[in-house]
Amino acid sequence: MSKEKGFVTEITPQSEDFSRWYIDVIRKAELMDYSPVRGCIVFRPDGYELWENIQRELDRRFKETGHRNAYFPVFIPESFFQKEKEHVEGFNPELPWVTEAGGEKLEERLAIRPTSETMFGHMYAKWIKSYRDLPVLINQWANVVRWEKRTLPFLRTSEFLWQEGHTAHENEEDARAETMRMLEIYRDFIENFLAIPVIAGQKTPSEKFAGAVNTYSVEAMTKDGRAVQAGTSHYLGTKFAEAFDIQYLDRNNQLQYVHTTSWGVSTRLIGSLIMVHGDDRGLVLPPKVAPTQVIMVPVGPPKTREQVIAKVDELYAQLKAAGVRVRVDDRDDVSPGWKFNEYEMRGVPLRIELGPRDMENGVVVLAPRVGGEKRTVPQDKLVEEVIKALDEIHNTMFELAKKFREEHSRSADTLDELKAFMEESRGFVEAGWCGSEACERQVKDETGATSRNIPFEPSSRKTKCLVCGEEAVHTVVFARAY
Amino acid sequence: MSKEKGFVTEITPQSEDFSRWYIDVIRKAELMDYSPVRGCIVFRPDGYELWENIQRELDRRFKETGHRNAYFPVFIPESFFQKEKEHVEGFNPELPWVTEAGGEKLEERLAIRPTSETMFGHMYAKWIKSYRDLPVLINQWANVVRWEKRTLPFLRTSEFLWQEGHTAHENEEDARAETMRMLEIYRDFIENFLAIPVIAGQKTPSEKFAGAVNTYSVEAMTKDGRAVQAGTSHYLGTKFAEAFDIQYLDRNNQLQYVHTTSWGVSTRLIGSLIMVHGDDRGLVLPPKVAPTQVIMVPVGPPKTREQVIAKVDELYAQLKAAGVRVRVDDRDDVSPGWKFNEYEMRGVPLRIELGPRDMENGVVVLAPRVGGEKRTVPQDKLVEEVIKALDEIHNTMFELAKKFREEHSRSADTLDELKAFMEESRGFVEAGWCGSEACERQVKDETGATSRNIPFEPSSRKTKCLVCGEEAVHTVVFARAY
């Protein structure tokens, strides 16, 4: 595409208006564009490639743990939603309905899937007959639709892309183990691949998935101190098994309901990583997910250009052979300075500069996007130095995000304390909670913060509910959330 | 899943009822199941993995030729279809419509995409301003929906999976070159990866894509002598550019319409490869696309079992390390004979047997699914022998399919000749055609055969139209088609 489109010429500073900053960055970096359909975006190639890299890595992890992919219909008959009461109440307000097709009115309306527990449930009932058929471990990569009132590119769009795992097991123990296994895969992936520190924990009943017994989540903090739910894993008990009659003959020849799970992450991970890592210069992409990890820019006067480019090409080939995602920008109609800004804005983790003086000295200049100054390294050690630098950038990004989260987290003993913190700043607040929905709702009504989850590893154990002062059953993380 | 579901116990012979054979095979091999939504199937893991392997290889080829992936909305506003007259006429009868969403009636109905020329067109008009922005080479992997009256699993389903490439170019020459480049990628992929010989050619006007200037296709022959369109590539001229106002400033600073192309293959490739290669014992999967390329089965009495399995595991590790998709079936509750039948039915290209006598002799038995008898090979050459055997199986499959097609192809000078052939047999008929739609329709009405394409390399050049006897403008392949 063209170098500069003009429609976004400057990026609004984060401190001035974080939402504007976000929209400026994703449009200027050509990650997305608005579509003519309300709440739906176009994932442009530079945005979609982030999703491809996320997919490839997660898919590998799913398969390593015995899951296989399948594909189920996008249409779900209306009657399916009626079968699980909580499920229909949760999703009904967000469904788009196909009422006509092939020139005729349909006898039964078809929803566009917002999630597929019901369709998987219907098919599993046909396939599962005996304990020998269990577990069933299937994942699906698909588009889903939830007709959201307020949308935000990547983070909340009417149509989005995701994966949804649906598994069936002989008993509660196995299903709960699967639920936690997948949450741990998400935590590990998000922290060690996307460099985003997350808080893993259990959702409160009011925040759980419609139809789940328990929902678990990993929650990240964006640079405006809000929470973003990055992945969820649900233990569904026998609720969907009972709704769809998924029974099997157990080892004692008795009919039993299966225990099911579901778990998913979506393209909101793209929005999350941008909001967690980005800065006033633009995107900052974690090296492991960055489409371009290294950009090489030749510098120096025209007379040395040919010689410099020859060397750049030689080094490029070495990096490429080592599996580094590297590109060269040797255009001569834009200045090196323009290129530096451009690739910083696009979040390329590492820049390599090479000029005539570097040629003489047998070195190149490495300029990391974050965490450290430019430095020179010997050309004959380039591959190992680049791999080391990318590792360092990943670690730096994770540490910076973690430090930011720590600086924007505190604990509160009372609702007033929480309120004061939310007014002066934003962030995560740990507080005791008695377990009543009324107290949880009061926090939301008075501060805008919702319970994010009950962390597995809270930094402190609270003894009293921040609202009513009664004994605390849980320590909860509260935050304003995307 | 369970070993035998019982619902398909025997496979109907192809000669008895080819359609029944097809359904028996795909259900018994657990490639698909019917869904509760009319015309939509569930792609079960063994079926979906074929698609994953097709995707991986095609995606690599698309990217090698400079294309990038993106994702556009599944919803297309009704007004978009009105903008290109032929397009709306072609697709309108097949569209499902979303008329309500989020609890409200929509102001404008939204179609579920049957193809995305219109949505890409709308966005390209925003992105393309100058010749410097061209070419735009974008592909999308997506689900699409066409509300078909008669459906057949994989080959014609209401919802299916596909890729759709959409490109924009400065001029006709570039766009035509792209159209042919992609057709050639399809031809090469289908022949050299799926072992399906195809006839490449141009569609007649009545068979072209709704809105195209020219459509090109690759056509395969199934084992019941029918044609299946395996891939298409379209030169769209400036039709969509005019409909969506995609103009750019050319090198002389003049406003010009871009020339666009589109091209796609779909999950019907799965149906095609089954119908081209399958036999009365079940599936025959081309080695390059087969999820399991090699199945290893230990044989012999219980007392040698442990020792044999140890050797099998050792050889398995060698094959795995060499990149072969290999599995071991060492279950002791089913007989080797049962396993042989099972994996033959599932189309695994190569079986390896190993028993105590083979151990003594330092050999294994290779049993190819097609093209040759069992043979023994030395264990210390197993990897190279297996790779060679898989290559041979691919080549054999291609040659068998080609021979079948040749035996079921002929040329006809008159409609009576064509009709006689279609009555006694099925297959491809090359014949001269004057270019009139009336003559083409008469062939269809009287024989059920439609023009498949105008082959680039016909086996003969016909001089007279088979219907009217006037001068032939083209030599056309006619066949009954899926």
Side-chain angles (χ1 to χ4, degrees):
Chain A
M1 312 289 156
S2 71
K3 286 158 219 152
E4 293 251 28
K5 272 288 175 281
F7 53 65
V8 180
T9 48
E10 279 189 34
I11 295 173
T12 309
Q14 291 187 334
S15 57
E16 191 181 312
D17 184 339
F18 190 81
S19 303
R20 275 285 301 279
W21 168 85
Y22 177 67
I23 299 296
D24 286 353
V25 165
I26 60 179
R27 295 196 75 186
K28 193 167 158 74
E30 297 180 335
L31 301 190
M32 57 70 67
D33 202 350
Y34 294 105
S35 89
V37 181
R38 191 175 121 342
C40 293
I41 62 169
V42 174
F43 294 77
R44 298 185 69 172
D46 282 345
Y48 191 78
E49 199 169 337
L50 291 169
W51 184 237
E52 289 183 291
N53 292 344
I54 288 170
Q55 272 193 302
R56 192 182 314 112
E57 176 65 16
L58 273 180
D59 199 67
R60 192 180 65 72
R61 292 175 185 226
F62 296 158
K63 284 174 178 162
E64 260 178 23
T65 45
H67 303 85
R68 299 189 69 193
N69 290 328
Y71 188 77
F72 288 65
V74 70
F75 299 115
I76 298 185
E78 182 165 20
S79 55
F80 278 38
F81 283 96
Q82 309 300 338
K83 295 193 183 189
E84 214 297 318
K85 194 173 151 286
E86 287 176 22
H87 197 64
V88 65
E89 282 171 9
F91 283 105
N92 220 16
E94 296 177 353
L95 300 177
W97 293 103
V98 174
T99 57
E100 301 161 31
E104 292 176 8
K105 201 161 155 38
L106 297 179
E107 287 184 26
E108 179 179 13
R109 297 195 300 176
L110 298 172
I112 311 295
R113 70 180 153 224
T115 180
S116 303
E117 278 75 10
T118 57
M119 185 58 79
F120 277 75
H122 177 89
M123 299 309 296
Y124 282 7
K126 293 173 69 177
W127 299 340
I128 297 169
K129 299 295 172 204
S130 148
Y131 71 90
R132 290 188 203 85
D133 300 326
L134 297 172
V136 176
L137 307 172
I138 297 185
N139 176 62
Q140 164 169 284
W141 293 95
N143 56 338
V144 282
V145 178
R146 298 175 187 178
W147 213 254
E148 302 280 358
K149 289 226 180 340
R150 291 180 57 201
T151 60
L152 188 61
F154 298 122
L155 282 173
R156 176 168 278 113
T157 48
S158 293
E159 183 191 14
F160 56 97
L161 303 175
W162 82 343
Q163 58 69 216
E164 48 181 325
H166 296 274
T167 69
H169 307 263
E170 284 187 70
N171 53 47
E172 174 166 354
E173 188 186 348
D174 290 358
R176 284 197 178 276
E178 169 79 5
T179 308
M180 300 315 290
R181 185 181 306 121
M182 301 322 290
L183 188 76
E184 173 58 17
I185 283 181
Y186 291 154
R187 187 204 61 75
D188 188 73
F189 168 76
I190 294 167
E191 295 202 327
N192 295 319
F193 199 81
L194 303 182
I196 299 175
V198 288
I199 292 175
Q202 183 177 339
K203 287 285 189 185
T204 64
S206 68
E207 294 282 335
K208 72 181 169 59
F209 175 77
V213 173
N214 298 121
T215 288
Y216 303 88
S217 74
V218 284
E219 306 274 340
M221 186 189 285
T222 59
K223 276 205 175 160
D224 62 343
R226 288 170 76 167
V228 59
Q229 179 180 294
T232 50
S233 186
H234 317 290
Y235 169 60
L236 305 171
T238 57
K239 288 187 178 195
F240 285 90
E242 289 174 43
F244 288 90
D245 198 27
I246 321 174
Q247 294 191 75
Y248 72 99
L249 280 174
D250 71 8
R251 287 159 206 265
N252 303 314
N253 222 30
Q254 301 294 309
L255 267 184
Q256 301 277 1
Y257 286 115
V258 299
H259 291 249
T260 66
T261 83
S262 67
W263 28 273
V265 299
S266 74
T267 37
R268 83 182 331 224
L269 284 176
I270 299 172
S272 305
L273 73 89
I274 295 164
M275 284 199 176
V276 168
H277 296 302
D279 64 22
D280 284 349
R281 285 182 292 155
L283 294 177
V284 182
L285 296 178
K288 292 181 192 176
V289 78
T292 302
Q293 299 175 306
V294 177
I295 183 73
M296 302 183 77
V297 180
V299 299
K303 65 175 177 181
T304 60
R305 190 176 147 75
E306 203 172 315
Q307 202 187 347
V308 167
I309 287 182
K311 186 49 130 182
V312 164
D313 287 346
E314 180 193 323
L315 297 173
Y316 164 85
Q318 290 176 16
L319 288 170
K320 184 111 182 151
V324 175
R325 294 192 292 270
V326 56
R327 277 175 52 207
V328 173
D329 187 344
D330 58 7
R331 289 175 294 173
D332 60 2
D333 57 344
V334 286
S335 70
W338 186 92
K339 293 177 189 174
F340 295 177
N341 287 334
E342 177 73 4
Y343 294 106
E344 286 183 356
M345 183 273 290
R346 290 179 183 268
V348 177
L350 188 64
R351 181 176 74 238
I352 295 179
E353 303 165 16
L354 181 71
R357 196 177 306 172
D358 305 313
M359 296 273 290
E360 280 168 30
N361 299 331
V363 297
V364 302
V365 175
L366 298 191
R369 177 65 175 80
V370 287
E373 298 300 304
K374 282 189 187 189
R375 64 178 190 273
T376 57
V377 300
Q379 287 169 9
D380 57 11
K381 292 198 170 160
L382 183 63
V383 169
E384 63 183 273
E385 288 288 347
V386 162
I387 289 170
K388 201 174 77 181
L390 291 173
D391 266 353
E392 283 168 7
I393 292 166
H394 170 89
N395 293 336
T396 300
M397 290 178 70
F398 183 80
E399 291 307 326
L400 285 173
K402 200 166 174 187
K403 185 158 168 281
F404 182 89
R405 189 183 72 187
E406 280 160 12
E407 288 168 359
H408 294 78
S409 295
R410 68 170 58 184
S411 86
D413 292 320
T414 64
L415 184 53
D416 283 343
E417 271 182 52
L418 189 151
K419 210 186 296 186
F421 178 65
M422 283 291 161
E423 269 161 24
E424 105 205 8
S425 165
R426 280 196 174 169
F428 288 0
V429 177
E430 258 185 24
W433 175 54
C434 66
S436 89
E437 216 178 305
C439 287
E440 198 181 359
R441 190 172 317 115
Q442 197 173 334
V443 174
K444 185 175 176 182
D445 290 346
E446 295 195 19
T447 70
T450 51
S451 76
R452 302 320 306 149
N453 65 25
I454 301 161
F456 298 138
E457 295 170 10
S459 55
S460 59
R461 293 275 172 194
K462 294 289 182 178
T463 56
K464 292 201 184 319
C465 176
L466 84 162
V467 180
C468 65
E470 298 291 311
E471 196 185 342
V473 185
H474 297 297
T475 301
V476 170
V477 170
F478 291 95
R480 292 206 183 103
Y482 278 104
Chain B
M1 314 287 156
S2 70
K3 287 157 220 155
E4 291 252 29
K5 272 288 178 277
F7 54 63
V8 181
T9 48
E10 279 189 34
I11 295 173
T12 308
Q14 292 187 334
S15 57
E16 189 181 314
D17 184 339
F18 191 79
S19 303
R20 273 287 299 280
W21 168 85
Y22 177 66
I23 299 296
D24 286 351
V25 166
I26 59 179
R27 295 196 76 187
K28 193 167 159 73
E30 296 180 336
L31 300 190
M32 59 69 68
D33 201 352
Y34 293 105
S35 89
V37 181
R38 194 175 117 345
C40 293
I41 63 168
V42 174
F43 295 76
R44 299 185 70 170
D46 282 344
Y48 191 77
E49 199 167 336
L50 291 169
W51 184 239
E52 287 183 292
N53 292 344
I54 288 171
Q55 272 194 301
R56 192 181 315 112
E57 176 66 15
L58 273 179
D59 198 67
R60 191 181 65 70
R61 292 175 185 227
F62 295 158
K63 283 174 178 163
E64 261 179 20
T65 44
H67 303 85
R68 297 189 70 193
N69 290 327
Y71 188 77
F72 287 64
V74 68
F75 299 115
I76 299 185
E78 181 164 19
S79 55
F80 278 37
F81 282 96
Q82 311 300 337
K83 294 192 180 187
E84 215 295 319
K85 193 171 152 291
E86 287 176 20
H87 196 63
V88 66
E89 283 170 11
F91 284 104
N92 221 16
E94 297 178 353
L95 299 177
W97 292 102
V98 174
T99 57
E100 303 160 29
E104 291 175 10
K105 203 163 156 33
L106 298 178
E107 286 184 25
E108 179 179 13
R109 296 196 299 178
L110 298 172
I112 311 295
R113 68 180 155 223
T115 180
S116 302
E117 278 74 11
T118 57
M119 185 59 77
F120 276 76
H122 177 89
M123 299 309 297
Y124 282 6
K126 293 174 71 177
W127 299 340
I128 297 168
K129 299 295 173 203
S130 147
Y131 70 90
R132 289 187 203 86
D133 300 326
L134 297 171
V136 175
L137 306 173
I138 296 184
N139 176 61
Q140 164 169 285
W141 293 95
N143 56 339
V144 283
V145 178
R146 298 176 188 179
W147 213 254
E148 302 280 358
K149 288 225 184 342
R150 289 180 55 201
T151 60
L152 188 60
F154 298 123
L155 281 173
R156 176 168 279 114
T157 49
S158 293
E159 183 189 13
F160 56 96
L161 303 175
W162 81 343
Q163 60 69 218
E164 48 180 325
H166 296 274
T167 69
H169 306 264
E170 286 187 68
N171 53 48
E172 174 167 353
E173 187 187 350
D174 291 358
R176 284 197 178 275
E178 169 78 5
T179 307
M180 300 314 289
R181 184 181 307 120
M182 301 322 290
L183 188 77
E184 172 58 16
I185 283 182
Y186 291 154
R187 187 204 61 73
D188 189 72
F189 168 77
I190 294 167
E191 297 202 327
N192 294 319
F193 200 80
L194 302 182
I196 300 176
V198 289
I199 292 175
Q202 183 176 340
K203 287 284 189 186
T204 64
S206 68
E207 295 282 334
K208 72 181 167 62
F209 175 78
V213 174
N214 299 120
T215 287
Y216 303 87
S217 73
V218 283
E219 306 273 341
M221 185 189 287
T222 59
K223 277 207 175 161
D224 61 342
R226 288 169 75 166
V228 58
Q229 179 179 295
T232 49
S233 186
H234 317 290
Y235 169 61
L236 306 171
T238 58
K239 288 188 176 194
F240 285 89
E242 288 174 45
F244 288 89
D245 198 26
I246 320 173
Q247 294 192 75
Y248 71 98
L249 281 174
D250 72 9
R251 288 159 205 268
N252 302 316
N253 223 28
Q254 301 294 309
L255 266 185
Q256 301 276 2
Y257 286 113
V258 298
H259 291 248
T260 65
T261 83
S262 66
W263 29 273
V265 298
S266 75
T267 37
R268 84 185 328 226
L269 284 176
I270 299 172
S272 306
L273 72 90
I274 295 165
M275 285 197 176
V276 168
H277 296 303
D279 64 23
D280 284 348
R281 285 182 292 153
L283 294 177
V284 182
L285 297 179
K288 293 181 192 176
V289 80
T292 301
Q293 297 175 308
V294 177
I295 184 72
M296 301 182 78
V297 180
V299 298
K303 64 176 177 181
T304 60
R305 189 175 148 76
E306 204 172 317
Q307 202 189 348
V308 167
I309 287 181
K311 184 49 121 183
V312 164
D313 287 347
E314 180 195 322
L315 298 172
Y316 164 84
Q318 289 176 17
L319 288 170
K320 184 110 181 152
V324 176
R325 294 191 293 271
V326 56
R327 275 174 55 206
V328 173
D329 188 342
D330 58 7
R331 288 177 294 173
D332 59 4
D333 57 344
V334 286
S335 69
W338 186 91
K339 292 177 189 174
F340 294 177
N341 286 335
E342 177 73 5
Y343 294 106
E344 285 182 359
M345 182 274 289
R346 289 178 183 270
V348 176
L350 187 65
R351 181 175 74 238
I352 295 179
E353 303 165 18
L354 181 71
R357 196 177 306 173
D358 305 313
M359 295 275 289
E360 280 168 31
N361 298 334
V363 298
V364 300
V365 175
L366 298 192
R369 177 66 175 81
V370 286
E373 297 301 304
K374 283 190 187 188
R375 64 179 190 272
T376 58
V377 300
Q379 287 169 12
D380 58 10
K381 290 197 173 161
L382 183 63
V383 169
E384 62 184 275
E385 288 288 347
V386 163
I387 289 170
K388 201 174 77 182
L390 291 173
D391 265 355
E392 282 169 7
I393 292 166
H394 169 90
N395 292 336
T396 301
M397 290 177 71
F398 183 81
E399 290 307 326
L400 284 174
K402 200 165 173 188
K403 186 158 166 279
F404 182 90
R405 188 182 72 189
E406 279 160 11
E407 287 168 0
H408 293 78
S409 294
R410 68 170 57 185
S411 86
D413 290 322
T414 65
L415 184 52
D416 284 341
E417 270 182 52
L418 190 152
K419 209 185 298 186
F421 178 64
M422 284 290 160
E423 269 161 26
E424 105 207 7
S425 164
R426 279 196 172 168
F428 288 1
V429 177
E430 260 186 23
W433 175 55
C434 65
S436 89
E437 216 177 305
C439 288
E440 198 181 359
R441 189 170 320 115
Q442 195 172 336
V443 174
K444 186 176 176 182
D445 290 345
E446 296 195 19
T447 71
T450 51
S451 76
R452 302 321 305 151
N453 66 24
I454 301 161
F456 298 139
E457 293 169 14
S459 54
S460 59
R461 293 272 172 198
K462 295 289 182 178
T463 54
K464 295 205 181 319
C465 177
L466 84 164
V467 181
C468 65
E470 297 290 311
E471 196 184 344
V473 184
H474 296 297
T475 301
V476 170
V477 171
F478 290 95
R480 292 205 182 104
Y482 277 104

